[in-house]
Amino acid sequence: MSAPERHPFLAGLSKHRGAPPTCLVIFGASGDLTSRKLLPALYNLAVDNLLPADFALVGFGRKPLPDGEFRAAAARDIAKFSRRPFNPEIWSRVEAAVHYQAGAYDDPAAFAALASKVSDLERAAGRALQLVSYVSTPPTVFDAIVENLGRSGLAARGLGSAAESKVIIEKPFGHDLGSAVRLNAVIARNFRESQVYRIDHYLGKETVQDLLVLRFANPILEPLWNRAHVDHVQITVAEELGVGARGGYYDHSGATRDMVQNHTMQLLALTAMDAPGSLSPEAIRDQKVRLLDAIRALRLGPGGDAVRGQYAEGLSAGERVPGYLGEKDIPAASATETFSAVRLAIENDRWAGVPFYLRSGKRMARRVSEIAVQFRQPVDGLFARDGRYDIAPNRLVIQIQPDEGSTLVLNSKVPGLEPRTQPVRLSFRYAATYGSDTPEAYERLILDAIVGDRTLFIRGDETEASWRLYTPLLESWASAGREGLESYASGSWGPGGADALLAAQGHAWRNTGR
Ligand code: BG6
């Protein structure tokens, strides 16, 4: 393939060179996400020289820890999890900006101490710093942190200016509609919506951002992107891993809350929304909310729009692995679903009558996240009506991960004297075209929050719209217990009911092999 045109989002990165002086506080400094994702992301931003010239990081956690120990632990995490090798010289530049503050999340005195630390850092920098608070703790303390940020005055710093105080909220954003509404209310008491950055890390993935470019920078697609031409859409977010050490969290969550309600629905919204009036964050988020609001309520119960499953033992990557009930911290009779599939009907002019199938599961046959748009086959196509030809439906598959790229399935003539056709794939792979060194989702998201770009973050009404759809389903499953919960072997493509969900409309999942 020829040399790439300049990638718009890479070009976009240069705007970040003007990032305002910033103090980033991470609540949950000794948590897993901080170690695996946030610290490595910050390090990689430093490697690319994208952090603000005046930058300070304060890790906030319950455990008392001298700055030196927090720095040493951060260096170890970066060496282990960074996408690029640890370079001691770069780290020595970053390290001096790393601080630690111990305190309880519900203790106003700890936030008063934090406020004076931020003032000290400002004095040392000789200029005002915008405060970005990253709430990366278990959700049980989200409220306390947000309230204390408000009470201590930290939330109101720089209000109305470009450098106003910002808050990044990690998932899970609520457990159902009621808790999401309550959390939004706590946030709204302490912050303006313009200060709030709700994370869905899927939006930080390169391929997910490219969805907007693919759809709206290639005008040949738009005339086809509707019920007249699209037969159905399948969105798969499959993982090979099981719950691992996260059983305690996962058993209260399940596949629908953990993946479908947020990540998979974001993929759906970007795939199906109408063109926004501009690339402004609000124009894009308005369209996503309109799309989510147009989804018909799920039909519950047997034969309805949803299927759930739980993995049993089986073979994963060639190894025998235990079933979900045999995993650490999982109650023996747990009814938590590790697989969830839904059939969605979008009731608008563009999509009425086109099923959107979404599924996500752990311990599936392979790790793949993709969006497959299957186009209609004319009943009376010239070649299709002649029984000798193998005519496949045209399909556009956008592979989010791994092996990022997109593929268009077309039919071609097989060379030779026999009248034969065969489906072929026109394929674009990121790695081949751009190289494989793409930034991690968290790099972009942290940087966007620092510069105040909310495009890739979830708005309050957006999260509520998605919860409105899934809460009745989750409640019906909770009251049914294990009844209707199917089992599937680890290393398979999920329970039989998921196949039946599509077969009811003459469709079948794309279960590709490696
Ligand atoms: C997280 C979920 O949000 O996303 C995890 O809590 C899941 O259960 C993870 O494994 C998947 O993210 P990625 O980026 O590896 O696809």
Side-chain angles (χ1 to χ4, degrees):
M1 198 165 278
S2 58
E5 297 298 316
R6 190 148 187 246
H7 191 289
F9 280 102
L10 288 183
L13 270 183
S14 57
K15 75 175 182 234
H16 297 313
R17 293 194 185 276
T22 298
C23 174
L24 175 70
V25 179
I26 300 181
F27 294 96
S30 48
D32 201 50
L33 188 78
T34 305
S35 306
R36 287 173 177 273
K37 299 290 183 189
L38 306 187
L39 292 169
L42 286 165
Y43 171 78
N44 279 288
L45 289 174
V47 172
D48 289 328
N49 219 2
L50 288 168
L51 285 178
D54 286 297
F55 178 77
L57 169 68
V58 179
F60 187 110
R62 276 178 284 222
K63 199 165 61 183
L65 212 62
D67 281 357
E69 268 183 46
F70 182 59
R71 288 175 183 165
R76 282 195 299 275
D77 291 336
I78 293 164
K80 191 159 167 202
F81 297 116
S82 163
R83 75 184 159 93
R84 289 186 291 209
F86 181 78
N87 177 330
E89 198 192 315
I90 295 175
W91 175 243
S92 67
R93 279 190 275 129
V94 181
E95 189 180 36
V98 177
H99 309 268
Y100 187 80
Q101 169 83 32
Y105 300 121
D106 58 356
D107 178 10
F111 284 73
L114 177 63
S116 71
K117 174 156 236 149
V118 175
S119 302
D120 290 349
L121 291 168
E122 265 180 341
R123 258 193 303 280
R127 53 202 298 191
L129 301 176
Q130 73 162 342
L131 179 70
V132 179
S133 304
Y134 196 132
V135 182
S136 170
T137 59
T140 42
V141 291
F142 283 5
D143 286 10
I145 294 172
V146 171
E147 296 281 20
N148 271 324
L149 285 170
R151 237 178 260 138
S152 61
L154 287 168
R157 287 169 54 96
L159 210 54
S161 75
E164 65 186 5
S165 183
K166 300 175 173 65
V167 64
I168 306 175
I169 311 271
E170 254 304 329
K171 68 172 288 215
F173 197 91
H175 189 71
D176 54 15
L177 179 59
S179 51
V181 168
R182 280 193 297 279
L183 180 53
N184 272 332
V186 172
I187 293 172
R189 270 208 301 277
N190 295 285
F191 289 92
R192 296 180 184 166
E193 182 63 29
S194 64
Q195 300 176 275
V196 184
Y197 294 72
R198 294 174 193 76
I199 286 258
D200 183 313
H201 79 277
Y202 266 59
L203 290 180
K205 292 183 189 277
E206 282 293 328
T207 31
V208 177
Q209 293 160 48
D210 192 42
L211 256 174
L212 280 179
V213 178
L214 178 79
R215 283 198 57 201
F216 302 119
N218 296 300
I220 57 166
L221 290 179
E222 181 60 14
L224 303 175
W225 216 253
N226 55 54
R227 59 197 297 253
H229 299 284
V230 174
D231 182 63
H232 72 278
V233 177
Q234 301 183 11
I235 302 181
T236 297
V237 179
E239 296 183 277
E240 220 171 293
L241 293 175
V243 290
R246 295 169 73 226
Y249 150 77
Y250 192 87
D251 201 58
H252 291 105
S253 172
T256 313
R257 289 188 171 91
D258 188 49
M259 299 293 282
V260 177
Q261 179 273 339
N262 40 32
H263 306 323
T264 319
M265 288 301 280
Q266 285 299 320
L267 300 183
L268 167 78
L270 292 172
T271 304
M273 71 182 191
D274 286 341
S278 74
L279 286 174
S280 77
E282 297 323 318
I284 293 172
R285 302 194 303 178
D286 284 348
Q287 290 298 36
K288 286 200 283 172
V289 174
R290 276 183 61 191
L291 188 277
L292 296 175
D293 283 343
I295 301 173
R296 188 180 68 200
L298 292 168
R299 287 178 301 216
L300 309 178
D305 291 324
V307 170
R308 60 184 170 138
Q310 195 180 68
Y311 63 80
E313 61 173 24
L315 279 181
S316 177
E319 300 228 333
R320 185 138 289 279
V321 292
Y324 180 70
L325 298 181
E327 300 273 24
K328 188 167 169 285
D329 297 331
I330 305 300
S334 170
T336 299
E337 83 285 0
T338 60
F339 174 97
S340 173
V342 292
R343 177 177 53 210
L344 300 182
I346 300 173
E347 296 182 317
N348 63 16
D349 286 346
R350 188 190 282 265
W351 297 120
V354 178
F356 281 73
Y357 302 108
L358 275 50
R359 66 176 165 171
S360 181
K362 297 221 181 269
R363 280 281 186 245
M364 295 190 53
R366 72 181 177 108
R367 173 173 180 255
V368 61
S369 296
E370 65 166 37
I371 300 160
V373 179
Q374 181 154 323
F375 294 93
R376 289 189 191 283
Q377 283 265 50
V379 225
D380 191 25
L382 187 58
F383 284 90
R385 69 177 177 235
D386 182 320
R388 287 176 300 175
Y389 298 97
D390 172 22
I391 302 294
N394 295 135
R395 198 186 292 124
L396 178 63
V397 181
I398 300 154
Q399 188 148 328
I400 306 296
Q401 64 186 26
D403 192 19
E404 292 80 357
S406 30
T407 301
L408 180 62
V409 176
L410 298 175
N411 293 291
S412 76
K413 180 185 175 304
V414 179
L417 302 179
E418 303 221 357
R420 280 173 57 214
T421 59
Q422 183 180 299
V424 290
R425 294 145 64 98
L426 297 191
S427 190
F428 147 66
R429 301 335 280 172
Y430 274 70
T433 305
Y434 295 117
S436 56
D437 199 22
T438 48
E440 281 262 346
Y442 279 97
E443 294 171 40
R444 165 159 293 278
L445 295 175
I446 291 174
L447 193 55
D448 279 2
I450 289 175
V451 299
D453 184 341
R454 297 191 307 283
T455 314
L456 301 177
F457 296 84
I458 313 292
R459 209 166 58 190
D461 53 350
E462 204 175 333
T463 186
E464 290 179 18
S466 184
W467 277 123
R468 200 165 291 122
L469 184 67
Y470 287 101
T471 300
L473 175 71
L474 290 163
E475 286 172 352
S476 78
W477 283 351
S479 58
R482 289 185 58 87
E483 197 186 320
L485 175 69
E486 296 184 38
S487 175
Y488 62 98
S490 286
S492 73
W493 280 106
D499 295 328
L501 189 70
L502 271 67
Q505 273 160 292
H507 298 140
W509 292 110
R510 278 168 39 76
N511 291 339
T512 48
R514 252 182 218 287

